[in-house]
């Protein structure tokens, strides 16, 4: 594993973003609440900044109004010259890049924790770009130990040689907290409570690191993206069937060759003909219909994560 | 019970409408499928017409694009002079009124069965204007006997002295089939299969009636709307809390005074202070946030439904 550099200074500039997708309600309402009552995000060594990432989409209770904000933090969008016809989210990504970045600069925030919901039955899913982010892998481990039920699974979203594109990629370190299932536009108190507890645990971890705690090496399972699978479609491009009842809600469970994956409207089943066992994730997520994704195929991997060394104590100020 | 007249002729003109709300996917995809393969809607005495009720909202995967189509079939909208600034759904309601009505005329369709989904945990919910519709109450009874699991509950939506406003009110008789929970924009194969089976059973019932079957009197429980309950809100009108975890998903279960109904973001619980036991329905439906409805309060009622007499046999044509 090629490790990214670990922080050598305390993380002082931390943001918790919600409403990056305007109809994912845990983050929308937590961000709004914290903007009124920020005390919950304070720790002795830092105060996390709450950010309502996509106010226009939140007001419309839609994922986005122009284009998916969480696919817009690439150099193409962030560095192009502004144009009056830019979609709202392109303009907003540039604003957020100024507020929280600039991406890949020394001025960027130290950490962004971005809150999401999915209609898929993923439970608690911690999403990282890759396993090479040692600090974030330690944070995941901390959350797994703090919140053993339901299991916190780690999902590595980035495909090889793909540029990062999500809001958390603007900071030096980041993570996405994805809770499901929750319908778009619905706020479930159970998921809100879980998101809130996980954010608190994440901030506690940063506080522990900032005050000089070292974290030992460990091994961790994570699910890495292999490919995506689209729905069966008619010649005109419409859906020809739905996710099979035997696959629905079975996120992160092994899918064996020969198992049914779709049920066509004609009544016929479509079977999984892939080679090895795969672990489907984000099965039947509402927002992915338009992206041509019925589910992700992932592989279960085990990573050896090196120790996270303690920060050197800050020099004692002269009396 | 003041009974509406029962049909005295066979029901020949029957429609099954889907996509009245463009993000309720069982109806959207069944209507689309039947438009390509209408054989499933044929019976010896009639062929039901499939209708995709709101194509623009369906294309956008939204409940509506201008205003809620299923609140637009009132005399005000149907009879007003057309105007270029009319919302799409007002224009579409007039088109559907021409196709399936005109409402309250002799030319109107005999029956409309309208397919819906909800994010609430209502299971199978059969929605009628009122219990005075004897034909529809017999249809409900037939579906309850055909589909005992999960229970088919009957919900009477209309408040006293309220004008009917939904698409099925355009026909002489009608019913809404509401299945949940299903997120907006998601197609679940289990709910699709259940909707399809219930439509088939409804068409079979009409066929039985058309061929001269009589149906005896019975008693039936149904849930009648008493009032609506809004979410707790801040002074600015934003949500101040969520449906309490103890109430979430408990549609049609008795709610006793003193039980928690909301959990405020501050952590405090809000208790049900109403008088008698109520039966909440459509708890935490996504589309009702904007309508100020956290749930309906209903009362459980028992109705004596008179027999549905057999149609007189048609005169035998002369040889």
């Amino acid at each position: 594993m090629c490790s990214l550099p670990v922080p050598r200074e305390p993380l002082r500039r931390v943001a918790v973003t919600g409403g990056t997708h305007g109809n994912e309600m845990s983050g929308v309402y937590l961000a709004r609440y914290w903007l009124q009552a920020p005390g919950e995000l304070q720790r002795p060594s830092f105060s996390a900044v709450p950010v309502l990432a996509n106010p226009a989409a939140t007001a419309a209770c839609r994922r986005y109004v122009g284009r998916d904000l969480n696919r817009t933090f690439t150099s193409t969008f962030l560095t192009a010259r502004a144009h009056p016809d830019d979609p709202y989210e392109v303009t907003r990504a540039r604003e957020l890049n100024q507020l929280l970045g600039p991406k890949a600069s020394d001025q960027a925030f130290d950490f962004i924790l971005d809150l999401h919901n999915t209609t898929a039955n993923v439970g608690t899913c911690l999403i990282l770009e890759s396993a090479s982010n040692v600090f974030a892998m330690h944070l995941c481990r901390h959350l797994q130990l703090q919140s053993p039920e339901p299991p916190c699974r780690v999902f590595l979203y980035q495909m090889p040689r793909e540029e990062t594109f999500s809001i958390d990629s603007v900071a030096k370190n980041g993570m996405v907290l994805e809770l499901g299932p929750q319908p778009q536009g619905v706020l479930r108190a159970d998921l809100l409570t879980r998101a809130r507890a996980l954010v608190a645990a994440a901030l506690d971890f940063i506080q522990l690191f900032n005050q000089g705690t070292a974290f030992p090496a460990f091994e961790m399972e994570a699910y890495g993206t292999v490919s995506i699978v689209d729905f069966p479609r008619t010649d005109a491009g419409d859906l020809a069937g739905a996710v099979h009842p035997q696959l629905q809600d079975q996120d992160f469970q092994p899918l064996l060759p020969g198992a049914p994956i779709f049920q066509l409207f004609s009544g016929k089943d479509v079977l999984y003909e892939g080679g090895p066992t795969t672990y489907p994730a984000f099965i039947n997520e509402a927002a992915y219909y338009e992206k041509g994704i019925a589910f992700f195929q992932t592989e279960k991997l085990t990573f050896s994560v090196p120790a996270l060394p303690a920060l050197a104590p800050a020099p004692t100020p002269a009396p």
Side-chain angles (χ1 to χ4, degrees), chain A:
Chain A
M1 183 169 69
C2 177
S3 300
L4 293 177
V6 298
R8 305 172 82 175
E9 301 283 339
L11 283 66
R12 307 281 188 201
R13 302 179 73 213
V14 176
V16 183
T17 48
T20 302
H21 295 136
N23 53 11
E24 299 180 6
M25 303 298 258
S26 300
V28 164
Y29 279 101
L30 283 172
R32 282 181 170 167
Y33 178 75
W34 289 325
L35 285 165
Q36 301 297 321
E40 206 169 301
L41 302 185
Q42 290 172 5
R43 294 295 180 277
S45 64
F46 70 102
S47 291
V49 177
V51 178
L52 186 66
N54 194 332
T58 299
C61 198
R62 290 162 60 184
R63 184 175 177 91
Y64 58 83
V65 296
R67 59 166 278 125
D68 193 332
L69 177 63
N70 215 31
R71 305 292 183 275
T72 308
F73 294 91
T74 60
S75 57
T76 307
F77 289 112
L78 296 179
T79 63
R81 182 178 297 192
H83 189 277
D85 291 341
D86 284 336
Y88 168 80
E89 278 84 3
V90 172
T91 305
R92 182 64 181 152
R94 291 187 189 122
E95 290 173 3
L96 290 165
N97 191 47
Q98 289 305 310
L99 176 69
L100 305 171
K103 182 172 175 172
S105 76
D106 286 345
Q107 290 74 50
F109 263 51
D110 296 310
F111 201 90
I112 293 177
L113 180 60
D114 192 33
L115 307 185
H116 286 260
N117 294 121
T118 169
T119 63
N121 186 32
V122 301
T124 300
C125 184
L126 311 174
I127 308 184
L128 306 183
E129 293 166 17
S130 74
S132 63
N133 188 329
V134 171
F135 183 84
M137 289 290 269
H138 274 271
L139 170 55
C140 290
R141 180 70 177 158
H142 181 79
L143 296 181
Q144 288 178 332
L145 296 173
Q146 296 293 309
S147 315
E149 294 297 334
C152 287
R153 297 190 182 90
V154 177
F155 176 60
L156 309 169
Y157 78 85
Q158 205 173 10
M159 306 281 269
R161 292 176 300 283
E162 185 183 38
E163 186 186 359
T164 57
F165 48 69
S166 58
I167 188 171
D168 55 300
S169 72
V170 170
K172 291 171 186 150
N173 265 295
M175 199 185 81
V176 173
L177 182 56
E178 182 85 69
L179 301 188
Q182 179 167 273
Q184 295 177 344
V186 168
L187 183 64
R188 285 186 64 104
D190 51 356
L191 292 199
L192 183 90
T193 300
R194 202 197 306 165
R196 204 168 178 172
L198 287 159
V199 170
L203 301 183
D204 291 343
F205 173 81
I206 296 173
Q207 169 61 23
L208 287 171
F209 177 77
N210 283 356
Q211 71 189 30
T213 307
F215 296 88
F218 59 90
E219 291 215 329
M220 191 163 70
E221 282 184 349
Y223 296 83
T225 306
V226 174
S227 61
I228 58 174
V229 177
D230 192 9
F231 291 93
R233 293 187 184 269
T234 66
D235 292 344
D238 293 326
L239 295 200
V243 167
H244 197 279
Q246 290 183 38
L247 180 60
Q248 177 71 44
D249 302 329
Q250 302 302 307
D251 298 73
F252 297 114
Q253 301 305 311
L255 176 67
L256 306 178
I261 51 175
F262 296 110
Q263 196 168 66
L264 301 182
F265 300 142
S266 67
K268 196 181 155 200
D269 284 352
V270 177
L271 308 182
Y272 173 53
E273 295 180 345
T277 299
T278 189
Y279 297 81
F282 292 90
I283 300 168
N284 216 358
E285 155 58 35
Y288 290 171
Y289 280 66
E290 67 177 18
K291 298 182 197 290
I293 302 174
F295 59 90
F296 285 81
Q297 285 188 285
T298 78
E299 57 186 347
K300 198 197 291 200
L301 304 164
T302 301
F303 294 93
S304 294
V305 181
L308 184 62
L311 287 174
T316 308

Coordinates of all heavy atoms in Angstrom, one line a residue, chain A residues 7 9-15 49 73 78 95-112 166-174:
Chain A
P7 N -0.7 13.5 8.8 CA -0.6 14.9 9.3 C 0.6 14.9 10.3 O 0.8 14.0 11.1 CB -1.9 15.1 10.0 CG -2.9 14.2 9.4 CD -2.1 13.0 9.1
E9 N 1.0 18.0 12.0 CA 0.5 19.1 12.8 C -0.9 18.7 13.3 O -1.6 18.0 12.6 CB 0.4 20.4 12.0 CG 1.7 20.9 11.4 CD 2.7 21.5 12.4 OE1 2.2 21.9 13.5 OE2 3.9 21.5 12.2
P10 N -1.4 19.3 14.4 CA -2.8 19.1 14.7 C -3.7 19.6 13.6 O -3.4 20.5 12.9 CB -2.9 20.0 16.0 CG -1.5 20.3 16.5 CD -0.6 20.2 15.3
L11 N -4.9 18.9 13.6 CA -5.9 19.3 12.6 C -6.8 20.4 13.2 O -7.6 20.1 14.1 CB -6.8 18.1 12.2 CG -6.1 17.1 11.2 CD1 -4.9 16.4 11.8 CD2 -7.2 16.1 10.7
R12 N -6.6 21.6 12.8 CA -7.3 22.7 13.4 C -8.5 23.1 12.5 O -9.5 23.6 13.0 CB -6.4 24.0 13.5 CG -5.1 23.7 14.2 CD -5.3 23.7 15.7 NE -4.0 23.7 16.3 CZ -3.8 23.3 17.6 NH1 -4.8 22.9 18.3 NH2 -2.6 23.3 18.1
R13 N -8.4 22.9 11.2 CA -9.4 23.4 10.3 C -10.2 22.2 9.8 O -9.7 21.4 8.9 CB -8.7 24.2 9.2 CG -7.9 25.4 9.7 CD -7.2 26.1 8.6 NE -8.2 26.9 7.9 CZ -8.0 27.2 6.6 NH1 -7.0 26.7 5.9 NH2 -8.9 27.9 5.9
V14 N -11.3 22.0 10.4 CA -12.1 20.8 10.1 C -13.5 21.3 9.7 O -14.1 22.2 10.3 CB -12.2 19.9 11.3 CG1 -13.1 18.7 11.1 CG2 -10.8 19.4 11.7
A15 N -14.1 20.7 8.7 CA -15.5 21.0 8.3 C -16.4 19.7 8.3 O -15.9 18.7 8.0 CB -15.5 21.7 6.9
V49 N -16.4 23.3 11.5 CA -17.3 24.3 10.8 C -18.4 23.5 10.1 O -18.1 22.7 9.3 CB -16.5 25.1 9.8 CG1 -17.4 26.1 9.1 CG2 -15.3 25.8 10.4
F73 N -15.8 18.5 -8.2 CA -14.6 19.1 -7.6 C -13.4 18.5 -8.3 O -12.4 18.0 -7.7 CB -14.6 18.8 -6.1 CG -15.6 19.5 -5.3 CD1 -16.9 18.9 -5.1 CD2 -15.4 20.8 -4.9 CE1 -17.9 19.6 -4.4 CE2 -16.4 21.5 -4.2 CZ -17.7 20.9 -4.0
L78 N -13.0 23.3 -11.4 CA -12.5 24.3 -10.4 C -11.6 25.4 -11.0 O -11.6 26.5 -10.5 CB -11.8 23.6 -9.3 CG -12.6 22.6 -8.4 CD1 -11.7 22.0 -7.4 CD2 -13.8 23.3 -7.8
E95 N -17.0 28.2 -5.1 CA -17.1 28.9 -3.8 C -16.6 28.0 -2.7 O -15.9 28.4 -1.8 CB -18.6 29.2 -3.5 CG -19.2 30.3 -4.4 CD -20.7 30.4 -4.1 OE1 -21.3 29.7 -3.2 OE2 -21.3 31.2 -4.9
L96 N -17.1 26.7 -2.7 CA -16.6 25.8 -1.6 C -15.1 25.6 -1.7 O -14.5 25.4 -0.7 CB -17.4 24.5 -1.7 CG -18.9 24.6 -1.4 CD1 -19.7 23.4 -1.9 CD2 -19.1 24.8 0.1
N97 N -14.6 25.6 -2.9 CA -13.2 25.4 -3.1 C -12.4 26.6 -2.5 O -11.3 26.4 -1.9 CB -12.8 25.2 -4.6 CG -11.4 24.7 -4.8 OD1 -10.9 23.8 -4.1 ND2 -10.7 25.4 -5.7
Q98 N -13.0 27.8 -2.6 CA -12.4 28.9 -2.0 C -12.5 28.8 -0.4 O -11.6 29.2 0.3 CB -13.0 30.2 -2.5 CG -12.7 30.6 -3.9 CD -11.2 30.6 -4.1 OE1 -10.4 31.3 -3.4 NE2 -10.7 29.9 -5.1
L99 N -13.7 28.4 0.0 CA -13.9 28.3 1.5 C -13.1 27.2 2.2 O -12.6 27.5 3.2 CB -15.4 28.1 1.7 CG -15.9 27.9 3.1 CD1 -15.8 29.2 3.9 CD2 -17.3 27.4 3.2
L100 N -13.0 26.1 1.5 CA -12.5 24.9 2.2 C -11.1 24.5 1.6 O -10.5 23.6 2.2 CB -13.5 23.7 2.1 CG -14.9 24.0 2.6 CD1 -15.8 22.9 2.3 CD2 -14.8 24.2 4.2
G101 N -10.7 25.0 0.5 CA -9.5 24.6 -0.2 C -8.5 25.8 -0.2 O -8.4 26.5 0.8
P102 N -8.0 26.1 -1.4 CA -8.1 25.4 -2.6 C -7.6 24.0 -2.6 O -6.6 23.7 -1.8 CB -7.3 26.3 -3.6 CG -7.2 27.6 -3.0 CD -7.2 27.4 -1.5
K103 N -8.2 23.1 -3.3 CA -7.9 21.7 -3.4 C -6.4 21.6 -3.7 O -5.9 22.3 -4.6 CB -8.7 21.1 -4.5 CG -8.5 19.6 -4.6 CD -9.5 19.0 -5.6 CE -9.3 17.5 -5.9 NZ -10.4 16.8 -6.6
A104 N -5.7 20.7 -3.0 CA -4.3 20.3 -3.2 C -3.4 21.5 -2.8 O -2.2 21.5 -3.3 CB -4.1 19.9 -4.6
S105 N -3.8 22.4 -2.1 CA -3.0 23.5 -1.6 C -2.7 23.4 -0.2 O -3.4 22.7 0.6 CB -3.6 24.9 -1.9 OG -4.6 25.1 -0.9
D106 N -1.6 24.1 0.3 CA -1.3 24.2 1.7 C -2.4 24.9 2.5 O -2.5 24.7 3.7 CB 0.0 24.9 2.0 CG 1.2 24.0 1.5 OD1 1.0 22.8 1.4 OD2 2.3 24.6 1.4
Q107 N -3.2 25.7 1.8 CA -4.3 26.5 2.5 C -5.5 25.6 2.8 O -6.4 26.1 3.5 CB -4.6 27.7 1.8 CG -3.6 28.8 1.7 CD -2.4 28.4 0.8 OE1 -2.6 28.0 -0.3 NE2 -1.2 28.5 1.3
A108 N -5.6 24.5 2.2 CA -6.8 23.7 2.3 C -7.1 23.2 3.7 O -6.2 23.1 4.5 CB -6.7 22.4 1.3
F109 N -8.4 23.0 4.0 CA -8.8 22.5 5.3 C -8.1 21.2 5.6 O -7.7 20.5 4.6 CB -10.3 22.3 5.3 CG -11.1 23.4 6.0 CD1 -10.9 24.7 5.6 CD2 -12.0 23.2 7.0 CE1 -11.6 25.8 6.1 CE2 -12.7 24.2 7.6 CZ -12.5 25.5 7.2
D110 N -7.9 20.9 6.8 CA -7.2 19.7 7.2 C -8.1 18.4 7.0 O -7.6 17.4 6.7 CB -6.8 19.8 8.7 CG -5.8 20.9 8.9 OD1 -4.8 20.9 8.2 OD2 -6.0 21.7 9.8
F111 N -9.4 18.6 7.3 CA -10.3 17.5 7.2 C -11.7 17.9 6.8 O -12.2 18.9 7.4 CB -10.3 16.7 8.5 CG -10.8 15.3 8.4 CD1 -9.9 14.3 8.1 CD2 -12.1 15.0 8.4 CE1 -10.3 13.0 8.0 CE2 -12.6 13.7 8.2 CZ -11.7 12.7 8.0
I112 N -12.3 17.2 5.9 CA -13.8 17.4 5.6 C -14.5 16.0 5.9 O -14.1 15.0 5.3 CB -14.0 17.9 4.2 CG1 -13.5 19.3 4.0 CG2 -15.5 17.8 3.9 CD1 -13.6 19.8 2.6
S166 N -15.0 14.5 -5.4 CA -16.0 14.8 -4.4 C -15.6 15.9 -3.4 O -14.4 16.3 -3.4 CB -16.3 13.5 -3.6 OG -15.1 13.0 -3.0
I167 N -16.5 16.4 -2.7 CA -16.3 17.6 -1.9 C -15.2 17.4 -0.8 O -14.4 18.3 -0.6 CB -17.6 18.1 -1.2 CG1 -17.4 19.4 -0.5 CG2 -18.2 17.1 -0.2 CD1 -18.7 20.1 0.0
D168 N -15.1 16.2 -0.3 CA -14.1 15.9 0.8 C -12.7 15.9 0.2 O -11.7 16.1 0.9 CB -14.4 14.6 1.5 CG -14.5 13.4 0.6 OD1 -15.4 13.5 -0.3 OD2 -13.7 12.5 0.7
S169 N -12.6 15.7 -1.2 CA -11.3 15.7 -1.8 C -10.7 17.1 -1.8 O -9.5 17.3 -2.2 CB -11.4 15.2 -3.2 OG -12.0 16.1 -4.1
V170 N -11.4 18.1 -1.5 CA -10.9 19.5 -1.4 C -9.9 19.7 -0.3 O -9.0 20.4 -0.3 CB -12.1 20.5 -1.4 CG1 -11.6 21.9 -1.1 CG2 -12.9 20.5 -2.7
A171 N -10.2 18.9 0.8 CA -9.3 19.0 2.0 C -8.1 18.1 1.9 O -8.0 17.3 1.0 CB -10.1 18.7 3.3
K172 N -7.2 18.3 2.9 CA -6.0 17.4 2.9 C -6.4 16.0 3.2 O -5.7 15.0 2.8 CB -5.0 18.0 3.9 CG -4.4 19.3 3.4 CD -3.6 19.9 4.5 CE -3.1 21.3 4.0 NZ -2.9 22.3 5.2
N173 N -7.4 15.8 4.0 CA -7.9 14.5 4.4 C -9.4 14.6 4.4 O -10.0 15.7 4.7 CB -7.5 14.2 5.8 CG -6.2 13.3 5.8 OD1 -6.2 12.2 5.3 ND2 -5.1 13.8 6.4
G174 N -10.1 13.5 4.2 CA -11.5 13.5 4.2 C -12.1 12.2 4.2 O -11.5 11.2 4.0

